[in-house]
């Protein structure tokens, strides 16, 4: 079938260029749907729809972020048997607004040793990706107003889900540069931790996303959602097996540097992490970006694994328009709650545990699962022949981890290039008292 | 249908095309000049990111969305982050004296080599047939299904092209990367350390 398509495309394209091209260029009925970059040209209606979409999405995201901050504080308070914010507005709903107003009017400090340009740039590098990720998330179905049919999402670019990966890659710059440009030790430590952590988990994140792309056959978020319609058994959560979702959750939580992976701003160790030196609205922007990211990443999880706005549509007039939005909101709020739950329930990991989890477990596991998914997509159930291979690899990996677990770095002796190993018989290591520092001169006995 | 229009549009640029190209070109140039003129390595790295973004915009303008995304994910999102990581860790984030030449006569050599490379690339682009696959791609990737709503973005088609037309380039790149990884591992090796007399073990350091 693909071969016929291959053969047919060029001629079809050439024919269509002469026939359909001019009419489509003037007639923009198709513009919202399937023409994300406006190759067909623009007119004022398209502009209007586009601007309204952007404004609605932006305002909704900001309001949702304010509510998310309130939600997190309230839920955490409940879990810790506290009351939480209850002064500003009903149930403390306006607390975030009050905090934001306070932050705007606080003094804006620029540290003496800071790199002023980068210091001022960094908060925006955090916020902008957080907003941009939301543009590709489908929040509802397709709406027709007059002659215009458009999707309820700001944009549906062909790169689709890759934009999410790209933007989460860019978001690390905000954290990293904030820490570096502060000209201070603790922020620098926080930002170095952050960059290492985000790079480490990006690989697992990318490979889990590839699994979704493999079963969908498209990068577009709209196509990903569409392929999961007609019942929850079509959700990628079920189709891929439950594990990729779990991998994705772990990786995305680390990517967000949310608890239990919030080593970047571990208050007990780093004062406050990368934003220690920030004050006023610049600090507010980091705060905003963090919570905005929580929402957008919940939405991305819903899009990738839970069918986005898909769900059973009741036979009520207008239900096809608002029911998908309600489903999307419900699913997203559920994940926002789960993130808050993580924060309340799980203790922070140590740095070496974080790196172990990322490199020694998550990345090999996602690789193995990706291999299985690819084989099944390519060969059908015959792809299951790869199961023994993956199981064998997992066993080897576990064994390797066991062997390496007890070793300290000084046990590892690798010969220099072109040199023969002449290893003296190692004396048995004396049991050291754990907390006394050992002088470098008398490291391992004798 | 989309791609037919794309093909038609790609032959005669419209004013948005020109506008986007000019803006992206300006971003690329400013970034590139910033990379070589900044005294501070972190500022240079940021300028590099700016250049990469400009190139990504140009890719999108050419309907190569996948390339644009990969450009951002790999180069801006991983490689320059690693640069910055190293800069921060090694503490070389200070203005450097660039009058010192570690290699004698490196400036004239740099000029000569860049002229040779540029000449080679230009000559190859003008005359030769590239052995690594198709020399150029006009319009969307051949074989793309029209009307699917994503110009040159279907991962299946992309993969097919990568493993057929561009196989040689693909495998050569893979080999190059493996060589780089092996090289990094070799360079990062620790010298054999002897536990008994650690003070005397300096003689067995790796030769620089």
């Amino acid at each position: 079938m693909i071969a016929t398509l291959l053969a047919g495309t060029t001629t079809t394209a050439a024919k269509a260029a002469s026939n359909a091209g001019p009419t489509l260029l003037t007639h923009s009925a198709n513009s919202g749907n399937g023409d994300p970059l406006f190759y067909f040209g623009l007119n004022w209606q398209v502009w209007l729809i586009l601007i309204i979409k952007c404004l609605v999405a932006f305002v909704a995201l900001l309001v949702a972020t304010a509510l998310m901050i309130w939600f997190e504080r309230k839920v955490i308070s409940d879990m810790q048997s506290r009351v939480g914010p209850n002064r500003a507005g009903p149930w403390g709903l306006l607390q975030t607004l009050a905090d934001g107003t306070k932050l705007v009017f606080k003094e804006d400090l620029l540290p003496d040793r800071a790199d002023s340009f980068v210091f001022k740039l960094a908060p925006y590098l955090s916020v902008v990706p957080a907003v941009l990720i939301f543009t590709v998330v489908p929040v509802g179905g397709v709406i027709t107003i007059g002659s215009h049919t458009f999707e309820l999402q700001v944009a549906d670019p062909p790169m689709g889900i890759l934009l999410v990966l790209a933007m989460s890659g860019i978001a690390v710059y905000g954290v990293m540069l904030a820490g570096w440009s502060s000209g201070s030790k603790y922020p620098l430590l926080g930002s170095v931790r952050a960059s290492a952590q985000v790079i480490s988990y990006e690989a697992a994140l990318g490979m889990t996303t590839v699994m979704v792309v493999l079963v969908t056959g498209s990068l577009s978020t709209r196509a990903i959602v569409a392929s999961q319609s007609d019942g929850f058994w079509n959700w990628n959560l079920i189709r891929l097996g439950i594990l990729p979702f779990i991998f994705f959750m772990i990786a995305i939580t680390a990517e967000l540097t949310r608890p239990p992976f919030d080593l970047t701003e571990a208050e007990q160790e780093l004062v406050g992490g990368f934003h220690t030196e920030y004050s006023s609205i610049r600090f507010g922007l980091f705060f905003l970006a963090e919570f905005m990211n929580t929402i957008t990443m919940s939405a991305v999880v819903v899009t990738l694994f839970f069918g986005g706005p898909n769900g059973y549509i009741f036979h009520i007039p207008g239900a096809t328009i608002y029911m998908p939005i309600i489903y999307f909101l419900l699913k997203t709020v559920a994940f926002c709650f789960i993130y808050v739950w993580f924060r309340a329930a799980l203790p922070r990991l140590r740095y070496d545990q974080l790196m172990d989890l990322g490199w020694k477990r998550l990345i090999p596991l996602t690789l193995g699962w990706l291999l299985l998914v690819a084989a099944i997509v390519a060969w059908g159930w015959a792809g299951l022949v790869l199961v023994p291979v993956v199981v064998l690899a997992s066993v080897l990996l576990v064994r390797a981890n066991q062997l390496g677990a007890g070793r300290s770095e000084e046990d590892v002796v690798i010969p220099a290039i072109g040199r023969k190993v002449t290893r003296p018989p190692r004396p048995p290591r004396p049991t050291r008292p754990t907390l006394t520092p050992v002088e470098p001169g008398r490291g391992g006995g004798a | 249908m989309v791609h037919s229009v794309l093909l038609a549009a790609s032959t005669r640029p419209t004013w948005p095309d020109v506008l986007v190209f000019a803006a992206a070109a300006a971003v690329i140039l400013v970034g590139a000049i910033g990379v070589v003129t900044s005294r501070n390595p972190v500022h240079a790295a940021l300028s590099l990111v700016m250049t990469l973004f400009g190139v990504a915009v140009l890719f999108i303008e050419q309907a190569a969305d996948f390339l644009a995304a990969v450009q951002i994910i790999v180069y801006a999102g991983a490689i320059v982050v690693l640069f910055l990581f190293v800069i921060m860790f090694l503490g070389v984030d200070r203005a450097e004296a660039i009058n010192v030449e570690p290699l004698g006569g490196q400036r004239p050599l740099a000029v000569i080599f860049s002229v040779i490379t540029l000449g080679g690339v230009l000559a190859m682009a003008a005359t030769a047939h590239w052995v690594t696959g198709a020399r150029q791609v006009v319009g969307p990737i051949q074989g793309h299904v029209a009307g699917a709503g994503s110009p040159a973005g279907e991962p299946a088609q992309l993969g097919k092209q990568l493993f057929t037309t561009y196989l040689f380039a693909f495998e050569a790149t893979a080999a190059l990367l493996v060589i780089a990884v092996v090289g990094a591992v070799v360079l990062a090796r620790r010298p054999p350390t002897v536990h008994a007399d650690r003070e005397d073990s300096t003689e067995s350091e790796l030769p620089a």
Side-chain angles (χ1 to χ4, degrees), chain A residues 6 9 13 17 39-40 115 118 158-159 162 166 173 176-177 180 192 195-196 199 217 219 409-410 414-415 417 426, chain B residues 4-6 42-43 46 49 60 66 69 72-73 76 80-81 84-85 88-89 93 143-144 151 154-155 186 189-190 195:
Chain A
L6 276 171
T9 313
Y39 294 115
F40 299 124
D115 183 323
V118 180
M159 65 170 91
L162 289 181
Y173 279 101
M176 207 173 178
L177 294 173
W180 172 78
V192 166
S195 41
I199 294 173
L219 293 168
E409 219 168 299
E410 56 194 37
I414 306 172
I417 316 154
R426 203 151 55 86
Chain B
S4 57
V5 182
L6 270 185
V42 173
H43 290 176
L46 285 181
V49 175
I60 292 183
F66 184 80
I72 299 294
I73 294 172
V80 182
V81 169
L84 283 175
F85 194 56
M88 287 177 184
F89 248 146
D93 50 343
H144 177 68
E154 293 295 313
V186 168
R189 266 182 182 201
R190 298 167 146 268
H195 292 284

Side-chain angles (χ1 to χ4, degrees), chain B residues 24 26 42 44 92 95 99 103 115 117 134 147 151 156 191-192 194 196:
Chain B
V42 173
V92 289
N99 297 322
L103 287 172
V115 166
T117 314
V194 183

Side-chain angles (χ1 to χ4, degrees), chain B residues 16 30 33 74 85 96 104 118 200:
Chain B
V30 170
I33 292 170
V74 174
F85 194 56
E96 282 185 76
L118 186 67
D200 302 339

Side-chain angles (χ1 to χ4, degrees), chain A residues 226-245:
Chain A
S227 78
Q228 300 177 66
S229 51
D230 302 327
F232 68 90
W233 51 89
N234 279 331
W235 289 356
N236 282 334
L237 173 76
I238 312 285
R239 280 201 294 183
L240 289 171
I242 314 287
L243 280 181
F245 161 68

Side-chain angles (χ1 to χ4, degrees), chain B residues 114-126:
Chain B
S114 43
V115 166
I116 290 175
T117 314
L118 186 67
V121 169
L122 286 180
M124 206 150 68

Side-chain angles (χ1 to χ4, degrees), chain A residues 12-37:
Chain A
T12 328
K15 245 183 264 169
S18 53
N19 297 338
T23 50
L24 278 175
L25 272 170
T26 49
H27 183 243
S28 59
N30 198 20
S31 56
N33 194 357
D35 181 22
L37 296 177

Side-chain angles (χ1 to χ4, degrees), chain A residues 208-229:
Chain A
T208 329
T209 314
V210 168
M211 294 179 211
V212 174
V213 173
L214 268 181
V215 292
T216 309
S218 173
L219 293 168
S220 149
T221 43
R222 179 57 61 174
I224 288 174
V225 165
S227 78
Q228 300 177 66
S229 51

Side-chain angles (χ1 to χ4, degrees), chain A residues 60-79:
Chain A
L61 194 57
L62 280 183
V63 173
T65 309
L67 288 177
M68 175 70 202
I69 296 173
W70 170 83
F71 179 72
E72 172 145 3
R73 294 178 68 175
K74 268 298 193 196
V75 172
I76 287 262
S77 307
D78 275 359
M79 288 179 176

